[in-house]
Amino acid sequence: AQKVTQAQTEISVVEKEDVTLDCVYETRDTTYYLFWYKQPPSGELVFLIRRNSFDEQNEISGRYSWNFQKSTSSFNFTITASQVVDSAVYFCALSLVNDYKLSFGAGTTVTVRA
Amino acid sequence: GAVVSQHPSRVICKSGTSVKIECRSLDFQATTMFWYRQFPKQSLMLMATSNEGSKATYEQGVEKDKFLINHASLTLSTLTVTSAHPEDSSFYICSADTSGTGYNEQFFGPGTRLTVL
C-alpha cells in the first residue's frame, strides 16, 4: 500500500515570504507518479504538477518549484514570494504508473497574510 | 484541457432520502472514473473506482449497497447515496482518468457538497 505524509498541518506566512511544503511518501513499487494539488476555499482541486519516479529533475514553474529526492522519498514544494491568492490547502499525492488511484496526504493549509 | 463536471454542486436533503450525484467528462471519454469523499478539514479518501460497463470496485470500509455507482457510458458516472444520514454529509469529488486521451493524468470535478439534515 502507498502512503503519503504531509507533516505540516498549517503554515502561516506574510505576503512575499517563501513557504516550503514537505511531502514524504512510501511505496514498494519502483514506478510511480507524484502529484501536488491546490484546493482553494471553493473546493475544486487544481492540478499543479505530476512527477514520474524516473525523473528526479527539479522543476520550476513561475513562483512554484519542486524538489524531488528519491533517496529520501520526498517531494517538497516551494512557493516563492507568496501572495494572498496562494492561500489554500495543498495536497501531495501518489499513484502507481498503471493505476490512477491517488493516495493523498493529509494536506497542508497555507495562509498568506497581507 | 480535459474538463470534468459534477451535478449538483450542492444538495441538502432529509435523512432517509437518496441522492444522486453525476460526474461527466465533457470533452473526452473516460473508461475509468474515481469517487472521493472529503470530510471537513480532512484529506480526500478514495471510495471507489468506476469502470465503464462493469461493476465498480469499492475501497475497504465503503458500503457498496449504500453508495451505488453506475458508469453507464464513457462520459458519465453516477454516485447514489441511498438512505442518506447526517454522517454521510461530506464533499464528494469525482475524477476521470484521461490516460486514453494523450493527457495522461487525472482531472477532478468541482465537487458536490452534500448536507443531510
Side-chain angles (χ1 to χ4, degrees):
Chain A
Q2 286 61 244
K3 184 179 178 181
V4 177
T5 302
Q6 293 179 255
Q8 304 149 307
T9 306
E10 295 184 22
I11 299 176
S12 182
V13 296
V14 177
E15 215 172 11
K16 296 185 183 178
E17 286 185 351
D18 297 347
V19 56
T20 295
L21 311 180
D22 298 333
C23 174
V24 175
Y25 62 91
E26 295 175 32
T27 179
R28 291 182 179 178
D29 283 67
T30 56
T31 54
Y32 48 88
Y33 291 118
L34 294 165
F35 301 80
W36 276 96
Y37 288 90
K38 174 183 179 180
Q39 187 177 42
S42 63
E44 185 165 358
L45 279 175
V46 177
F47 168 82
L48 297 179
I49 190 172
R50 182 188 73 173
R51 174 61 71 214
N52 187 311
S53 55
F54 289 108
D55 182 3
E56 287 193 69
Q57 281 189 334
N58 292 329
E59 183 159 339
I60 298 175
S61 175
R63 295 184 298 107
Y64 296 166
S65 62
W66 291 270
N67 183 353
F68 177 28
Q69 294 202 350
K70 213 167 178 178
S71 60
T72 57
S73 297
S74 65
F75 186 43
N76 296 337
F77 170 36
T78 297
I79 303 172
T80 302
S82 60
Q83 301 175 0
V84 173
V85 293
D86 296 327
S87 296
V89 182
Y90 291 85
F91 291 99
C92 180
L94 179 149
S95 75
L96 302 182
V97 170
N98 293 317
D99 179 356
Y100 275 85
K101 286 196 299 185
L102 285 166
S103 297
F104 283 88
T108 298
T109 301
V110 174
T111 303
V112 182
R113 307 186 307 277
Chain B
V3 179
V4 176
S5 70
Q6 274 184 248
H7 179 80
S9 58
R10 187 180 295 268
V11 57
I12 301 172
C13 68
K14 292 183 179 179
S15 185
T17 60
S18 294
V19 175
K20 180 185 283 189
I21 302 170
E22 293 184 348
C23 176
R24 292 181 186 273
S25 55
L26 297 186
D27 50 1
F28 66 99
Q29 293 183 331
T31 53
T32 304
M33 290 184 175
F34 302 91
W35 287 96
Y36 295 85
R37 179 168 54 183
Q38 184 181 29
F39 290 110
K41 297 190 182 300
Q42 293 189 25
S43 188
L44 284 80
M45 298 300 295
L46 179 67
M47 298 175 67
T49 303
S50 169
N51 298 297
E52 187 269 336
S54 64
K55 290 184 178 180
T57 304
Y58 290 81
E59 296 299 302
Q60 193 173 6
V62 177
E63 299 175 56
K64 59 181 68 176
D65 294 331
K66 181 168 185 63
F67 298 100
L68 301 179
I69 291 173
N70 186 342
H71 195 154
S73 76
L74 287 171
T75 59
L76 174 64
S77 175
T78 59
L79 167 68
T80 301
V81 184
T82 61
S83 187
H85 291 286
E87 57 266 29
D88 298 323
S89 298
S90 187
F91 192 54
Y92 293 87
I93 306 174
C94 73
S95 69
D97 174 3
T98 62
S99 57
T101 66
Y103 288 111
N104 258 356
E105 61 184 81
Q106 197 176 136
F107 282 84
F108 285 83
T112 297
R113 196 164 300 281
L114 170 63
T115 303
V116 185
L117 302 176

